[in-house]
Amino acid sequence: MKSCLISFNESGRAIGKYENAAASAFADAGFPLDDVYVLSRSDDAGFVSLLGEVKNRYDVIAVSDGLALEFSLKETLSALFRVPLIKDGEARKRVDSFILKRGLPAIYALEELSLFPEGAEIVPNSDGLIQGFIYNFNDSVLVGLPDAAEDAAKIIKGAVADYFEKRYRLRYDKLTFKLFGVNPSELDFFIKEQIKRTRRAVNIEVCGDYLDFKV
């Protein structure tokens, strides 16, 4: 499964906190990103062009969404895929609750926060204004992520990872072994035995020294 992230910032080039947080969350969930693309927040034409380029190259395309964009991502997707935007009542309740809880001015209660492309699966974000969503088109999956790094990471590690496991019938697990007082040759034998005993793909990382290791 190939995946990429499309995000937006002031420079339109540099990878920063958001991109690193999202990439780390995808990796922790067992679905590491293959590529990251960064665009300017006002580059709606560039986004449409890039999406046209990558939609047939990746199984999963994650896109950051937020009020900082100088264009409406959802309206752009609606026009691109020729589907209407549908209001989601539960998303509206979560947005209103967040605004009330934080004491934000009414200007934040934008209608677009509860609108999603028809057929999209809403991914709840109770800790922010921007709700996540998953939209299937052709053979690809587009994942809309909040543009707050912590919110995006929570959604990726939770609902998005569960969705991927069901869709692609993949399951990722982690096991950690702590080995004390072993020499490198014993460690090498241990690793080879683990690879031999598993019938599935296994990726092994080793750290430590002075005969104490974490595998």
Side-chain angles (χ1 to χ4, degrees), residues 55-56 58-59 61 135-142 167:
K55 66 181 181 180
N56 295 320
Y58 298 92
D59 302 293
I61 303 168
Y135 181 74
N136 292 280
F137 66 100
N138 299 332
D139 294 323
S140 300
V141 176
L142 188 146
R167 177 182 174 90

Side-chain angles (χ1 to χ4, degrees), residues 167-199:
R167 177 182 174 90
Y168 297 105
R169 296 182 180 179
L170 297 174
R171 176 71 188 181
Y172 290 85
D173 290 295
K174 290 184 179 180
L175 292 175
T176 300
F177 299 93
K178 292 185 178 180
L179 307 177
F180 303 96
V182 298
N183 61 48
S185 63
E186 291 175 314
L187 178 62
D188 184 57
F189 175 78
F190 174 82
I191 291 175
K192 288 180 179 178
E193 283 298 303
Q194 300 310 310
I195 294 175
K196 187 188 304 181
R197 292 169 63 180
T198 181
R199 295 183 179 180

